[in-house]
Amino acid sequence: MNYKKHLLGISIVCICFPALSEMLPEGATKIPKASEIPNRLSIEYFSPEQIVEFKKLDHYSEPQWLTDKYVKTGKLRPVEQRLPDVPMVLKTASMPDGVGVYGGVLRHVIGGRPQGWNWSAAHSQGWGGINYIVQQCLTRTGPMYQIKPEALEVLPNLAQSWEWSEDGKALTMHLIEGAKWSDGEPFTSEDVRFYWEDTVLEPRIPSFSSQNALGEGAKLEIVDEYTIRWYFEKASQNQALYNMAFMTFCPGPAHILKSLHPKYNDNVTYEDFSNALPANEVPTVTMGPWVPVSYKDDQIIVLRRNPYYWKVDEAGNQLPYIDEVRYKLSTWESRTLETMSGSADFSNMENPPIYIETLRKLASPNSPTRAMFGPRNLAFQIQMNMNPTLSVSDDREAAIRQLNRDLKFRKAISHAIDRKSLGQALVKGPFTAEYAGGLHPETSFYREDDVVYYPYNPSLSKQYLAELGLVDTDGNGVVNFPKEVNNGDDVEIVINSGNGTADGVFNENLVSMMADIGIKLIPRLLDSVQGDSSRDAADFDWRLNRSDKELIVPMQRMEWLAPIAESGPIWHRGTENKPQVLQPFEEKMVNLAHEIFIERDAAKQADLIGQLNHEMTKNVYHVGLVAYPGALLVNKRIKNVPNAPIIAYQWAEDAVMRERFWVPQDQQLKELQPHTVPEYKLDTKK
Ligand code: GLA
């Protein structure tokens, strides 16, 4: 299988600008070739129709206990009345083990913690795939990694089909008709309108999405209950379909949220809305396959099957097959260790410091876990905050922002990093590779020649700092700001990071590498909720960041690569009052991004993306550290698990389509809340 070529199905042919070697900036080199790592991921490909179809079937079924306990007692309508007239059918052709049986448990472990259930106000549910369960979006990209290159397209979800107008500026989408939220209320275009108009476009409410991310000046028209139409300023905004997937277009339940929103309720404020639906307010209302029904702080979230879920298999069985999903609230490392030992079922192995131990355990023939190793599509970076004013509270912070905006300073930092040692400190062996920042080295669109690399060269680094006026005037080993800046104090920089073992290794090594050039680096370890909120508020000098999917499929979240929207790259966000201040190279990147969006010729588009990567790396838009591979670990008792990379179009949790997972009856584990579905108190249906 050829993972690299496939990822966007594009073969790259033209390099339309001068060879890089002729124009390498001072100190820069070409990125060294990374050692080969075995990539054992063999992927089976399908056409979209072999994965999903919308079709009315003759007969539908559900678990027997559900009929007996809920339908026969009048608590729920019969399954055919809960399903849409034409449900989404997940096709047997692309199921590794075919039609399944009901029952059992899927056990997840996460290091994150839910901010709450109001994802329309940018609440995360703690990551690790729980967001993917509760947030259902208009389109779906995760499973696209399995689509044949020649048939590559964004998959339908709540939007069942769509068509572009002849001039390419209007996109009409048909929503699934008759699908219901988990409390039985209908899902309609009103949910979409509320999400867009009253949350995304409402500046007083934080959002995962933004108008320009969807397409410059995107406008929405509600045509009827199940039809919506988008208007764009320019033709062929194909990225809009990617951005209608997770996590940028997943409407919340308008019938619940309106009464919590100041536009519809005089007694509440915008802040109230942003804080609405805290984690302990369960059951939540979702369009997802499972519904959070119980929550214990720092312990567990239990999710039960959604009796209104709108997807079925070809035999008419309402999905999901598995009745209960649990999220144990622990650490990211324990997610992997517990999956290795068989006490959890699913983990993206992504913490290099525990790779050797997990590999040793995997080698045992009794290992309960199946592992799928993928390419090097994970990486760490330093993100330097470039907004001169946002969340700046003192002179030191203001001075750091100015340094961050200076290319010479960013080059100095890049030259201070010994990536080979950093990689080996993370995990011994051939796993890690030097990473210059920008697109992931082992995915499509990446062309070595685009990359400008500022490798380890501490003396050049010191020279640059001196040229910037940063010298150690008081002889304490730390360089000082020039007298007129921040009192001439020591240059101290706080780096926000997570609290996992990998973060620890990075912090320790970066502190000493920065000390070598006279910069005092102060790690600030944050849990997931603190990390999410300081990121969203742009409240950091530097951030240690593990990269995400935009570096694999740039189309998916272009605003995290180039500042096309105020929600822009994490390190250069803006608000109405504290806007982004774009530098010329950023303006150039924005233009490239817009050209990429509307370029229809695949080779030309790939070339433009290459140019974007060139600008990103030449200008050290973020400081690349090391790239490394991951593996998807799943318990062997789970059926219908396709081979998948841990991240491509989305993280594996979305890619593998857990609603199709099943467990043979004799291997099913005991459920915590057997034979139950969420029950809503009437007053939650405000
Ligand atoms: C976190 C985890 C990833 C993945 C995503 C899913 O970021 O580290 O492995 O589970 O959540 O959103």
Side-chain angles (χ1 to χ4, degrees), residues 213 239 243 550 553-565 568-569 589-590 592-594 596-597 605 609 612 616:
Q239 87 290 348
N243 284 295
E550 60 280 356
V553 187
M555 206 63 113
Q556 295 233 102
R557 197 152 56 178
M558 192 62 91
E559 79 274 22
W560 280 27
L561 297 181
I564 56 165
M589 289 175 65
V590 169
L592 277 168
H594 287 305
I596 291 167
F597 285 159
Q605 190 183 54
I609 293 175
L612 186 72
M616 255 191 290

Side-chain angles (χ1 to χ4, degrees), residues 9-114:
I10 285 166
S11 54
I12 291 155
V13 283
C14 100
I15 297 180
C16 307
F17 60 110
L20 190 68
S21 47
E22 292 162 21
M23 45 188 235
L24 275 180
E26 179 192 36
T29 61
K30 286 187 69 164
I31 184 93
K33 267 219 175 325
S35 61
E36 292 283 327
I37 47 161
N39 178 357
R40 280 172 267 167
L41 201 59
S42 95
I43 290 174
E44 219 185 319
Y45 296 119
F46 301 99
S47 65
E49 298 70 36
Q50 289 175 303
I51 299 176
V52 56
E53 185 185 16
F54 287 81
K55 194 174 171 193
K56 189 175 170 70
L57 302 179
D58 295 339
H59 167 81
Y60 300 104
S61 37
E62 63 183 350
Q64 190 57 45
W65 61 262
L66 191 58
T67 319
D68 292 345
K69 190 171 162 192
Y70 287 88
V71 180
K72 289 191 178 154
T73 58
K75 285 186 173 168
L76 284 177
R77 287 166 268 176
V79 62
E80 53 279 1
Q81 290 174 28
R82 301 195 310 270
L83 285 166
D85 196 33
V86 180
M88 177 187 270
V89 183
L90 298 188
K91 307 293 288 287
T92 318
S94 56
M95 292 183 179
D97 303 298
V99 167
V101 295
Y102 284 124
V105 180
L106 180 67
R107 299 163 305 168
H108 281 277
V109 175
I110 45 174
R113 296 293 181 270

Side-chain angles (χ1 to χ4, degrees), residues 424-441:
Q424 290 304 303
L426 209 55
V427 52
K428 296 243 173 315
F431 298 100
T432 59
E434 294 169 64
Y435 169 55
L439 301 181
H440 278 305

Side-chain angles (χ1 to χ4, degrees), residues 349-418:
M349 183 174 96
E350 60 188 15
N351 305 296
I354 56 173
Y355 278 14
I356 306 284
E357 187 184 340
T358 40
L359 286 175
R360 195 169 43 77
K361 288 208 176 119
L362 269 177
S364 149
N366 305 328
S367 162
T369 320
R370 178 180 148 207
M372 296 160 249
F373 287 89
R376 275 194 193 97
N377 52 9
L378 295 170
F380 269 86
Q381 318 142 344
I382 300 174
Q383 302 180 335
M384 301 175 163
N385 201 335
M386 294 187 188
N387 186 311
T389 53
L390 183 58
S391 288
V392 166
S393 52
D394 57 32
D395 290 351
R396 186 198 65 82
E397 288 179 4
I400 299 296
R401 299 290 176 94
Q402 288 309 324
L403 283 179
N404 291 345
R405 291 175 61 82
D406 197 314
L407 176 58
K408 191 171 265 180
F409 180 70
R410 299 196 298 277
K411 279 161 69 172
I413 300 307
S414 183
H415 284 307
I417 293 161
D418 177 357

Side-chain angles (χ1 to χ4, degrees), residues 68-192:
D68 292 345
K69 190 171 162 192
Y70 287 88
V71 180
K72 289 191 178 154
T73 58
K75 285 186 173 168
L76 284 177
R77 287 166 268 176
V79 62
E80 53 279 1
Q81 290 174 28
R82 301 195 310 270
L83 285 166
D85 196 33
V86 180
M88 177 187 270
V89 183
L90 298 188
K91 307 293 288 287
T92 318
S94 56
M95 292 183 179
D97 303 298
V99 167
V101 295
Y102 284 124
V105 180
L106 180 67
R107 299 163 305 168
H108 281 277
V109 175
I110 45 174
R113 296 293 181 270
Q115 290 172 303
W117 307 115
N118 192 3
W119 57 89
S120 305
H123 287 182
S124 140
Q125 287 76 59
W127 312 108
I130 184 165
N131 289 29
Y132 282 119
I133 292 177
V134 293
Q135 297 185 37
Q136 293 293 310
C137 320
L138 292 187
T139 62
R140 190 173 192 182
T141 55
M144 286 172 71
Y145 82 97
Q146 268 197 305
I147 300 182
K148 294 175 188 154
E150 62 279 13
L152 195 73
E153 56 185 52
V154 171
L155 292 169
N157 204 48
L158 290 169
Q160 176 171 338
S161 60
W162 48 83
E163 65 266 345
W164 289 94
S165 62
E166 229 154 74
D167 69 359
K169 290 184 179 173
L171 172 68
T172 305
M173 300 186 108
H174 307 281
L175 305 178
I176 181 164
E177 288 190 28
K180 295 172 186 69
W181 291 93
S182 54
D183 63 355
E185 292 290 318
F187 166 82
T188 68
S189 55
E190 177 58 8
D191 294 298
V192 177

